[in-house]
PDB file of all heavy atoms in Angstrom:
ATOM      1  N   LEU M 290      13.836 -46.457 -14.786  1.00 95.00           N
ATOM      2  CA  LEU M 290      14.792 -45.994 -13.794  1.00 95.00           C
ATOM      3  C   LEU M 290      15.976 -46.949 -13.658  1.00 95.00           C
ATOM      4  O   LEU M 290      17.133 -46.526 -13.514  1.00 95.00           O
ATOM      5  CB  LEU M 290      14.103 -45.821 -12.432  1.00 95.00           C
ATOM      6  CG  LEU M 290      13.375 -44.493 -12.188  1.00 95.00           C
ATOM      7  CD1 LEU M 290      12.614 -44.537 -10.866  1.00 95.00           C
ATOM      8  CD2 LEU M 290      14.352 -43.326 -12.178  1.00 95.00           C
ATOM      9  N   HIS M 291      15.683 -48.261 -13.713  1.00 94.00           N
ATOM     10  CA  HIS M 291      16.751 -49.255 -13.603  1.00 94.00           C
ATOM     11  C   HIS M 291      17.766 -49.074 -14.734  1.00 94.00           C
ATOM     12  O   HIS M 291      18.990 -49.069 -14.516  1.00 94.00           O
ATOM     13  CB  HIS M 291      16.155 -50.665 -13.629  1.00 94.00           C
ATOM     14  CG  HIS M 291      17.150 -51.741 -13.320  1.00 94.00           C
ATOM     15  ND1 HIS M 291      17.984 -52.282 -14.286  1.00 94.00           N
ATOM     16  CD2 HIS M 291      17.460 -52.385 -12.150  1.00 94.00           C
ATOM     17  CE1 HIS M 291      18.759 -53.202 -13.741  1.00 94.00           C
ATOM     18  NE2 HIS M 291      18.453 -53.281 -12.424  1.00 94.00           N
ATOM     19  N   THR M 293      18.247 -46.316 -16.621  1.00 92.00           N
ATOM     20  CA  THR M 293      18.904 -44.999 -16.539  1.00 92.00           C
ATOM     21  C   THR M 293      19.981 -44.990 -15.465  1.00 92.00           C
ATOM     22  O   THR M 293      21.078 -44.438 -15.660  1.00 92.00           O
ATOM     23  CB  THR M 293      17.860 -43.901 -16.250  1.00 92.00           C
ATOM     24  OG1 THR M 293      16.846 -43.928 -17.273  1.00 92.00           O
ATOM     25  CG2 THR M 293      18.505 -42.522 -16.233  1.00 92.00           C
ATOM     26  N   LEU M 294      19.704 -45.609 -14.309  1.00 93.00           N
ATOM     27  CA  LEU M 294      20.694 -45.641 -13.231  1.00 93.00           C
ATOM     28  C   LEU M 294      21.881 -46.531 -13.590  1.00 93.00           C
ATOM     29  O   LEU M 294      23.022 -46.248 -13.189  1.00 93.00           O
ATOM     30  CB  LEU M 294      20.029 -46.101 -11.933  1.00 93.00           C
ATOM     31  CG  LEU M 294      19.017 -45.114 -11.339  1.00 93.00           C
ATOM     32  CD1 LEU M 294      18.275 -45.756 -10.160  1.00 93.00           C
ATOM     33  CD2 LEU M 294      19.707 -43.834 -10.891  1.00 93.00           C
ATOM     34  N   ASP M 295      21.635 -47.605 -14.330  1.00 91.00           N
ATOM     35  CA  ASP M 295      22.752 -48.451 -14.785  1.00 91.00           C
ATOM     36  C   ASP M 295      23.683 -47.658 -15.690  1.00 91.00           C
ATOM     37  O   ASP M 295      24.919 -47.781 -15.600  1.00 91.00           O
ATOM     38  CB  ASP M 295      22.213 -49.677 -15.530  1.00 91.00           C
ATOM     39  CG  ASP M 295      21.695 -50.740 -14.562  1.00 91.00           C
ATOM     40  OD1 ASP M 295      21.984 -50.619 -13.346  1.00 91.00           O
ATOM     41  OD2 ASP M 295      20.982 -51.666 -15.009  1.00 91.00           O
ATOM     42  N   GLN M 296      23.106 -46.840 -16.583  1.00 90.00           N
ATOM     43  CA  GLN M 296      23.936 -46.022 -17.466  1.00 90.00           C
ATOM     44  C   GLN M 296      24.728 -44.990 -16.658  1.00 90.00           C
ATOM     45  O   GLN M 296      25.902 -44.734 -16.927  1.00 90.00           O
ATOM     46  CB  GLN M 296      23.061 -45.304 -18.496  1.00 90.00           C
ATOM     47  CG  GLN M 296      22.417 -46.260 -19.501  1.00 90.00           C
ATOM     48  CD  GLN M 296      21.469 -45.544 -20.445  1.00 90.00           C
ATOM     49  OE1 GLN M 296      21.244 -44.346 -20.306  1.00 90.00           O
ATOM     50  NE2 GLN M 296      20.906 -46.285 -21.392  1.00 90.00           N
ATOM     51  N   ALA M 297      24.078 -44.393 -15.637  1.00 87.00           N
ATOM     52  CA  ALA M 297      24.779 -43.416 -14.809  1.00 87.00           C
ATOM     53  C   ALA M 297      25.898 -44.062 -14.012  1.00 87.00           C
ATOM     54  O   ALA M 297      26.984 -43.486 -13.845  1.00 87.00           O
ATOM     55  CB  ALA M 297      23.780 -42.729 -13.874  1.00 87.00           C
ATOM     56  N   ALA M 298      25.664 -45.285 -13.502  1.00 88.00           N
ATOM     57  CA  ALA M 298      26.672 -45.969 -12.683  1.00 88.00           C
ATOM     58  C   ALA M 298      27.915 -46.335 -13.478  1.00 88.00           C
ATOM     59  O   ALA M 298      28.976 -46.599 -12.901  1.00 88.00           O
ATOM     60  CB  ALA M 298      26.061 -47.225 -12.062  1.00 88.00           C
ATOM     61  N   ALA M 299      27.799 -46.341 -14.817  1.00 86.00           N
ATOM     62  CA  ALA M 299      28.959 -46.678 -15.648  1.00 86.00           C
ATOM     63  C   ALA M 299      29.985 -45.558 -15.706  1.00 86.00           C
ATOM     64  O   ALA M 299      31.092 -45.757 -16.204  1.00 86.00           O
ATOM     65  CB  ALA M 299      28.481 -47.021 -17.062  1.00 86.00           C
ATOM     66  N   ASN M 300      29.627 -44.385 -15.182  1.00 84.00           N
ATOM     67  CA  ASN M 300      30.574 -43.261 -15.174  1.00 84.00           C
ATOM     68  C   ASN M 300      31.741 -43.607 -14.253  1.00 84.00           C
ATOM     69  O   ASN M 300      31.551 -43.851 -13.062  1.00 84.00           O
ATOM     70  CB  ASN M 300      29.867 -41.993 -14.681  1.00 84.00           C
ATOM     71  CG  ASN M 300      30.713 -40.745 -14.858  1.00 84.00           C
ATOM     72  OD1 ASN M 300      31.939 -40.804 -14.838  1.00 84.00           O
ATOM     73  ND2 ASN M 300      30.036 -39.614 -15.022  1.00 84.00           N
ATOM     74  N   TYR M 303      32.221 -41.982 -10.696  1.00 87.00           N
ATOM     75  CA  TYR M 303      31.363 -42.299  -9.569  1.00 87.00           C
ATOM     76  C   TYR M 303      31.919 -43.443  -8.716  1.00 87.00           C
ATOM     77  O   TYR M 303      31.578 -43.559  -7.541  1.00 87.00           O
ATOM     78  CB  TYR M 303      29.961 -42.692 -10.067  1.00 87.00           C
ATOM     79  CG  TYR M 303      29.202 -41.558 -10.747  1.00 87.00           C
ATOM     80  CD1 TYR M 303      28.054 -41.827 -11.490  1.00 87.00           C
ATOM     81  CD2 TYR M 303      29.630 -40.242 -10.649  1.00 87.00           C
ATOM     82  CE1 TYR M 303      27.349 -40.811 -12.112  1.00 87.00           C
ATOM     83  CE2 TYR M 303      28.940 -39.226 -11.268  1.00 87.00           C
ATOM     84  CZ  TYR M 303      27.797 -39.514 -12.005  1.00 87.00           C
ATOM     85  OH  TYR M 303      27.098 -38.511 -12.623  1.00 87.00           O
ATOM     86  N   GLY M 304      32.718 -44.278  -9.277  1.00 84.00           N
ATOM     87  CA  GLY M 304      33.149 -45.476  -8.568  1.00 84.00           C
ATOM     88  C   GLY M 304      32.169 -46.613  -8.776  1.00 84.00           C
ATOM     89  O   GLY M 304      31.145 -46.468  -9.455  1.00 84.00           O
ATOM     90  N   LYS M 305      32.461 -47.748  -8.164  1.00 86.00           N
ATOM     91  CA  LYS M 305      31.627 -48.939  -8.378  1.00 86.00           C
ATOM     92  C   LYS M 305      30.687 -49.171  -7.198  1.00 86.00           C
ATOM     93  O   LYS M 305      31.019 -48.921  -6.042  1.00 86.00           O
ATOM     94  CB  LYS M 305      32.522 -50.163  -8.561  1.00 86.00           C
ATOM     95  CG  LYS M 305      33.395 -50.096  -9.826  1.00 86.00           C
ATOM     96  CD  LYS M 305      34.210 -51.365  -9.974  1.00 86.00           C
ATOM     97  CE  LYS M 305      35.059 -51.332 -11.240  1.00 86.00           C
ATOM     98  NZ  LYS M 305      35.855 -52.567 -11.410  1.00 86.00           N
ATOM     99  N   GLN M 306      29.492 -49.677  -7.545  1.00 88.00           N
ATOM    100  CA  GLN M 306      28.500 -50.136  -6.572  1.00 88.00           C
ATOM    101  C   GLN M 306      28.175 -49.052  -5.537  1.00 88.00           C
ATOM    102  O   GLN M 306      28.070 -49.309  -4.333  1.00 88.00           O
ATOM    103  CB  GLN M 306      29.004 -51.404  -5.866  1.00 88.00           C
ATOM    104  CG  GLN M 306      29.219 -52.571  -6.802  1.00 88.00           C
ATOM    105  CD  GLN M 306      29.707 -53.813  -6.079  1.00 88.00           C
ATOM    106  OE1 GLN M 306      30.094 -53.756  -4.898  1.00 88.00           O
ATOM    107  NE2 GLN M 306      29.709 -54.945  -6.783  1.00 88.00           N
ATOM    108  N   ARG M 307      27.960 -47.839  -6.048  1.00 91.00           N
ATOM    109  CA  ARG M 307      27.574 -46.741  -5.141  1.00 91.00           C
ATOM    110  C   ARG M 307      26.132 -46.327  -5.352  1.00 91.00           C
ATOM    111  O   ARG M 307      25.643 -45.420  -4.674  1.00 91.00           O
ATOM    112  CB  ARG M 307      28.493 -45.539  -5.348  1.00 91.00           C
ATOM    113  CG  ARG M 307      29.952 -45.820  -4.976  1.00 91.00           C
ATOM    114  CD  ARG M 307      30.798 -44.569  -5.172  1.00 91.00           C
ATOM    115  NE  ARG M 307      30.359 -43.474  -4.314  1.00 91.00           N
ATOM    116  CZ  ARG M 307      30.769 -42.205  -4.453  1.00 91.00           C
ATOM    117  NH1 ARG M 307      31.610 -41.893  -5.437  1.00 91.00           N
ATOM    118  NH2 ARG M 307      30.337 -41.270  -3.627  1.00 91.00           N
ATOM    119  N   ILE M 308      25.434 -46.975  -6.284  1.00 94.00           N
ATOM    120  CA  ILE M 308      24.025 -46.644  -6.539  1.00 94.00           C
ATOM    121  C   ILE M 308      23.179 -47.886  -6.290  1.00 94.00           C
ATOM    122  O   ILE M 308      23.448 -48.951  -6.847  1.00 94.00           O
ATOM    123  CB  ILE M 308      23.814 -46.154  -7.986  1.00 94.00           C
ATOM    124  CG1 ILE M 308      24.660 -44.895  -8.254  1.00 94.00           C
ATOM    125  CG2 ILE M 308      22.344 -45.841  -8.241  1.00 94.00           C
ATOM    126  CD1 ILE M 308      24.572 -44.402  -9.687  1.00 94.00           C
ATOM    127  N   ILE M 309      22.177 -47.742  -5.448  1.00 94.00           N
ATOM    128  CA  ILE M 309      21.243 -48.836  -5.130  1.00 94.00           C
ATOM    129  C   ILE M 309      19.851 -48.390  -5.572  1.00 94.00           C
ATOM    130  O   ILE M 309      19.372 -47.316  -5.189  1.00 94.00           O
ATOM    131  CB  ILE M 309      21.247 -49.158  -3.628  1.00 94.00           C
ATOM    132  CG1 ILE M 309      22.658 -49.587  -3.178  1.00 94.00           C
ATOM    133  CG2 ILE M 309      20.219 -50.235  -3.302  1.00 94.00           C
ATOM    134  CD1 ILE M 309      22.765 -49.790  -1.677  1.00 94.00           C
ATOM    135  N   PHE M 310      19.201 -49.261  -6.358  1.00 95.00           N
ATOM    136  CA  PHE M 310      17.845 -48.954  -6.820  1.00 95.00           C
ATOM    137  C   PHE M 310      16.846 -49.870  -6.124  1.00 95.00           C
ATOM    138  O   PHE M 310      17.007 -51.089  -6.123  1.00 95.00           O
ATOM    139  CB  PHE M 310      17.742 -49.116  -8.342  1.00 95.00           C
ATOM    140  CG  PHE M 310      16.348 -48.931  -8.868  1.00 95.00           C
ATOM    141  CD1 PHE M 310      15.629 -47.774  -8.599  1.00 95.00           C
ATOM    142  CD2 PHE M 310      15.742 -49.932  -9.627  1.00 95.00           C
ATOM    143  CE1 PHE M 310      14.339 -47.604  -9.089  1.00 95.00           C
ATOM    144  CE2 PHE M 310      14.453 -49.768 -10.121  1.00 95.00           C
ATOM    145  CZ  PHE M 310      13.749 -48.606  -9.844  1.00 95.00           C
ATOM    146  N   VAL M 311      15.788 -49.282  -5.546  1.00 95.00           N
ATOM    147  CA  VAL M 311      14.722 -50.038  -4.882  1.00 95.00           C
ATOM    148  C   VAL M 311      13.445 -49.792  -5.672  1.00 95.00           C
ATOM    149  O   VAL M 311      12.820 -48.734  -5.556  1.00 95.00           O
ATOM    150  CB  VAL M 311      14.545 -49.590  -3.422  1.00 95.00           C
ATOM    151  CG1 VAL M 311      13.444 -50.413  -2.765  1.00 95.00           C
ATOM    152  CG2 VAL M 311      15.858 -49.717  -2.658  1.00 95.00           C
ATOM    153  N   VAL M 330      17.632 -36.975 -13.277  1.00 93.00           N
ATOM    154  CA  VAL M 330      18.236 -38.118 -12.582  1.00 93.00           C
ATOM    155  C   VAL M 330      19.758 -38.013 -12.638  1.00 93.00           C
ATOM    156  O   VAL M 330      20.450 -38.246 -11.630  1.00 93.00           O
ATOM    157  CB  VAL M 330      17.752 -39.442 -13.216  1.00 93.00           C
ATOM    158  CG1 VAL M 330      18.543 -40.624 -12.665  1.00 93.00           C
ATOM    159  CG2 VAL M 330      16.263 -39.626 -12.951  1.00 93.00           C
ATOM    160  N   ASN M 331      20.302 -37.655 -13.792  1.00 89.00           N
ATOM    161  CA  ASN M 331      21.761 -37.519 -13.913  1.00 89.00           C
ATOM    162  C   ASN M 331      22.297 -36.389 -13.035  1.00 89.00           C
ATOM    163  O   ASN M 331      23.358 -36.520 -12.413  1.00 89.00           O
ATOM    164  CB  ASN M 331      22.151 -37.282 -15.369  1.00 89.00           C
ATOM    165  CG  ASN M 331      21.935 -38.518 -16.231  1.00 89.00           C
ATOM    166  OD1 ASN M 331      21.961 -39.655 -15.721  1.00 89.00           O
ATOM    167  ND2 ASN M 331      21.718 -38.331 -17.522  1.00 89.00           N
ATOM    168  N   LEU M 333      20.921 -35.179 -10.183  1.00 92.00           N
ATOM    169  CA  LEU M 333      20.844 -35.551  -8.776  1.00 92.00           C
ATOM    170  C   LEU M 333      21.878 -36.626  -8.430  1.00 92.00           C
ATOM    171  O   LEU M 333      22.462 -36.616  -7.339  1.00 92.00           O
ATOM    172  CB  LEU M 333      19.434 -36.039  -8.439  1.00 92.00           C
ATOM    173  CG  LEU M 333      18.304 -35.007  -8.648  1.00 92.00           C
ATOM    174  CD1 LEU M 333      16.969 -35.600  -8.233  1.00 92.00           C
ATOM    175  CD2 LEU M 333      18.585 -33.730  -7.879  1.00 92.00           C
ATOM    176  N   THR M 334      22.105 -37.546  -9.363  1.00 92.00           N
ATOM    177  CA  THR M 334      23.107 -38.592  -9.125  1.00 92.00           C
ATOM    178  C   THR M 334      24.505 -37.985  -9.034  1.00 92.00           C
ATOM    179  O   THR M 334      25.295 -38.333  -8.142  1.00 92.00           O
ATOM    180  CB  THR M 334      23.056 -39.633 -10.257  1.00 92.00           C
ATOM    181  OG1 THR M 334      21.748 -40.204 -10.318  1.00 92.00           O
ATOM    182  CG2 THR M 334      24.066 -40.734 -10.021  1.00 92.00           C
ATOM    183  N   ALA M 335      24.815 -37.078  -9.946  1.00 89.00           N
ATOM    184  CA  ALA M 335      26.134 -36.449  -9.939  1.00 89.00           C
ATOM    185  C   ALA M 335      26.346 -35.644  -8.659  1.00 89.00           C
ATOM    186  O   ALA M 335      27.422 -35.691  -8.047  1.00 89.00           O
ATOM    187  CB  ALA M 335      26.281 -35.556 -11.168  1.00 89.00           C
ATOM    188  N   ALA M 337      25.035 -36.138  -5.729  1.00 90.00           N
ATOM    189  CA  ALA M 337      25.172 -37.017  -4.562  1.00 90.00           C
ATOM    190  C   ALA M 337      26.531 -37.709  -4.527  1.00 90.00           C
ATOM    191  O   ALA M 337      27.114 -37.891  -3.447  1.00 90.00           O
ATOM    192  CB  ALA M 337      24.054 -38.056  -4.571  1.00 90.00           C
ATOM    193  N   LEU M 338      27.055 -38.080  -5.692  1.00 91.00           N
ATOM    194  CA  LEU M 338      28.277 -38.880  -5.718  1.00 91.00           C
ATOM    195  C   LEU M 338      29.548 -38.072  -5.902  1.00 91.00           C
ATOM    196  O   LEU M 338      30.627 -38.530  -5.505  1.00 91.00           O
ATOM    197  CB  LEU M 338      28.175 -39.933  -6.832  1.00 91.00           C
ATOM    198  CG  LEU M 338      27.008 -40.924  -6.685  1.00 91.00           C
ATOM    199  CD1 LEU M 338      27.020 -41.923  -7.838  1.00 91.00           C
ATOM    200  CD2 LEU M 338      27.070 -41.654  -5.352  1.00 91.00           C
ATOM    201  N   SER M 343      33.984 -40.322  -0.974  1.00 89.00           N
ATOM    202  CA  SER M 343      34.006 -41.383  -1.988  1.00 89.00           C
ATOM    203  C   SER M 343      33.281 -42.649  -1.557  1.00 89.00           C
ATOM    204  O   SER M 343      32.984 -43.502  -2.400  1.00 89.00           O
ATOM    205  CB  SER M 343      35.468 -41.732  -2.338  1.00 89.00           C
ATOM    206  OG  SER M 343      36.165 -42.146  -1.165  1.00 89.00           O
ATOM    207  N   ASP M 344      32.980 -42.789  -0.262  1.00 90.00           N
ATOM    208  CA  ASP M 344      32.268 -43.994   0.188  1.00 90.00           C
ATOM    209  C   ASP M 344      30.769 -43.758   0.349  1.00 90.00           C
ATOM    210  O   ASP M 344      30.048 -44.589   0.916  1.00 90.00           O
ATOM    211  CB  ASP M 344      32.858 -44.498   1.506  1.00 90.00           C
ATOM    212  CG  ASP M 344      32.782 -43.441   2.600  1.00 90.00           C
ATOM    213  OD1 ASP M 344      32.506 -42.258   2.275  1.00 90.00           O
ATOM    214  OD2 ASP M 344      32.992 -43.793   3.779  1.00 90.00           O
ATOM    215  N   THR M 345      30.278 -42.618  -0.124  1.00 93.00           N
ATOM    216  CA  THR M 345      28.844 -42.303  -0.012  1.00 93.00           C
ATOM    217  C   THR M 345      28.031 -43.234  -0.903  1.00 93.00           C
ATOM    218  O   THR M 345      28.396 -43.493  -2.054  1.00 93.00           O
ATOM    219  CB  THR M 345      28.588 -40.835  -0.411  1.00 93.00           C
ATOM    220  OG1 THR M 345      29.317 -39.972   0.458  1.00 93.00           O
ATOM    221  CG2 THR M 345      27.103 -40.506  -0.318  1.00 93.00           C
ATOM    222  N   ILE M 346      26.912 -43.706  -0.365  1.00 94.00           N
ATOM    223  CA  ILE M 346      26.000 -44.591  -1.108  1.00 94.00           C
ATOM    224  C   ILE M 346      24.720 -43.813  -1.424  1.00 94.00           C
ATOM    225  O   ILE M 346      24.138 -43.176  -0.545  1.00 94.00           O
ATOM    226  CB  ILE M 346      25.666 -45.863  -0.295  1.00 94.00           C
ATOM    227  CG1 ILE M 346      26.952 -46.646   0.014  1.00 94.00           C
ATOM    228  CG2 ILE M 346      24.670 -46.735  -1.070  1.00 94.00           C
ATOM    229  CD1 ILE M 346      27.703 -47.125  -1.212  1.00 94.00           C
ATOM    230  N   LEU M 347      24.274 -43.890  -2.672  1.00 95.00           N
ATOM    231  CA  LEU M 347      23.025 -43.260  -3.109  1.00 95.00           C
ATOM    232  C   LEU M 347      21.973 -44.336  -3.298  1.00 95.00           C
ATOM    233  O   LEU M 347      22.181 -45.283  -4.062  1.00 95.00           O
ATOM    234  CB  LEU M 347      23.246 -42.489  -4.414  1.00 95.00           C
ATOM    235  CG  LEU M 347      21.980 -41.925  -5.076  1.00 95.00           C
ATOM    236  CD1 LEU M 347      21.333 -40.871  -4.184  1.00 95.00           C
ATOM    237  CD2 LEU M 347      22.308 -41.348  -6.458  1.00 95.00           C
ATOM    238  N   THR M 348      20.843 -44.171  -2.622  1.00 95.00           N
ATOM    239  CA  THR M 348      19.724 -45.113  -2.750  1.00 95.00           C
ATOM    240  C   THR M 348      18.573 -44.407  -3.445  1.00 95.00           C
ATOM    241  O   THR M 348      18.081 -43.380  -2.970  1.00 95.00           O
ATOM    242  CB  THR M 348      19.255 -45.614  -1.367  1.00 95.00           C
ATOM    243  OG1 THR M 348      20.361 -46.237  -0.703  1.00 95.00           O
ATOM    244  CG2 THR M 348      18.117 -46.610  -1.524  1.00 95.00           C
ATOM    245  N   VAL M 349      18.161 -44.973  -4.588  1.00 95.00           N
ATOM    246  CA  VAL M 349      17.047 -44.421  -5.360  1.00 95.00           C
ATOM    247  C   VAL M 349      15.884 -45.390  -5.249  1.00 95.00           C
ATOM    248  O   VAL M 349      16.015 -46.579  -5.583  1.00 95.00           O
ATOM    249  CB  VAL M 349      17.432 -44.218  -6.834  1.00 95.00           C
ATOM    250  CG1 VAL M 349      16.268 -43.602  -7.606  1.00 95.00           C
ATOM    251  CG2 VAL M 349      18.678 -43.346  -6.944  1.00 95.00           C
ATOM    252  N   SER M 350      14.742 -44.892  -4.771  1.00 95.00           N
ATOM    253  CA  SER M 350      13.570 -45.757  -4.575  1.00 95.00           C
ATOM    254  C   SER M 350      12.355 -45.161  -5.255  1.00 95.00           C
ATOM    255  O   SER M 350      12.207 -43.939  -5.348  1.00 95.00           O
ATOM    256  CB  SER M 350      13.287 -45.940  -3.076  1.00 95.00           C
ATOM    257  OG  SER M 350      13.072 -44.692  -2.450  1.00 95.00           O
ATOM    258  N   GLN M 363      12.582 -41.125  -4.892  1.00 95.00           N
ATOM    259  CA  GLN M 363      13.372 -40.576  -3.797  1.00 95.00           C
ATOM    260  C   GLN M 363      14.850 -40.873  -3.987  1.00 95.00           C
ATOM    261  O   GLN M 363      15.232 -42.017  -4.250  1.00 95.00           O
ATOM    262  CB  GLN M 363      12.885 -41.137  -2.461  1.00 95.00           C
ATOM    263  CG  GLN M 363      13.701 -40.661  -1.265  1.00 95.00           C
ATOM    264  CD  GLN M 363      13.116 -41.113   0.060  1.00 95.00           C
ATOM    265  OE1 GLN M 363      12.018 -40.711   0.428  1.00 95.00           O
ATOM    266  NE2 GLN M 363      13.834 -41.973   0.761  1.00 95.00           N
ATOM    267  N   PHE M 364      15.688 -39.834  -3.843  1.00 96.00           N
ATOM    268  CA  PHE M 364      17.144 -39.962  -3.896  1.00 96.00           C
ATOM    269  C   PHE M 364      17.673 -39.705  -2.485  1.00 96.00           C
ATOM    270  O   PHE M 364      17.552 -38.584  -1.981  1.00 96.00           O
ATOM    271  CB  PHE M 364      17.746 -38.956  -4.884  1.00 96.00           C
ATOM    272  CG  PHE M 364      17.371 -39.191  -6.317  1.00 96.00           C
ATOM    273  CD1 PHE M 364      16.113 -38.845  -6.790  1.00 96.00           C
ATOM    274  CD2 PHE M 364      18.285 -39.762  -7.195  1.00 96.00           C
ATOM    275  CE1 PHE M 364      15.770 -39.056  -8.110  1.00 96.00           C
ATOM    276  CE2 PHE M 364      17.946 -39.974  -8.514  1.00 96.00           C
ATOM    277  CZ  PHE M 364      16.682 -39.629  -8.975  1.00 96.00           C
ATOM    278  N   SER M 365      18.232 -40.719  -1.869  1.00 95.00           N
ATOM    279  CA  SER M 365      18.695 -40.608  -0.487  1.00 95.00           C
ATOM    280  C   SER M 365      20.166 -41.016  -0.404  1.00 95.00           C
ATOM    281  O   SER M 365      20.534 -42.103  -0.840  1.00 95.00           O
ATOM    282  CB  SER M 365      17.841 -41.494   0.429  1.00 95.00           C
ATOM    283  OG  SER M 365      18.335 -41.493   1.740  1.00 95.00           O
TER     284      SER M 365
END
Side-chain angles (χ1 to χ4, degrees):
L290 276 174
H291 188 276
T293 303
L294 292 172
D295 282 347
Q296 292 176 356
N300 189 331
Y303 294 166
K305 295 182 179 180
Q306 298 180 348
R307 296 182 62 192
I308 300 176
I309 300 174
F310 175 55
V311 181
V330 171
N331 290 334
L333 299 182
T334 301
L338 300 181
S343 58
D344 59 347
T345 300
I346 300 299
L347 173 64
T348 302
V349 182
S350 58
Q363 177 174 295
F364 294 76
S365 175

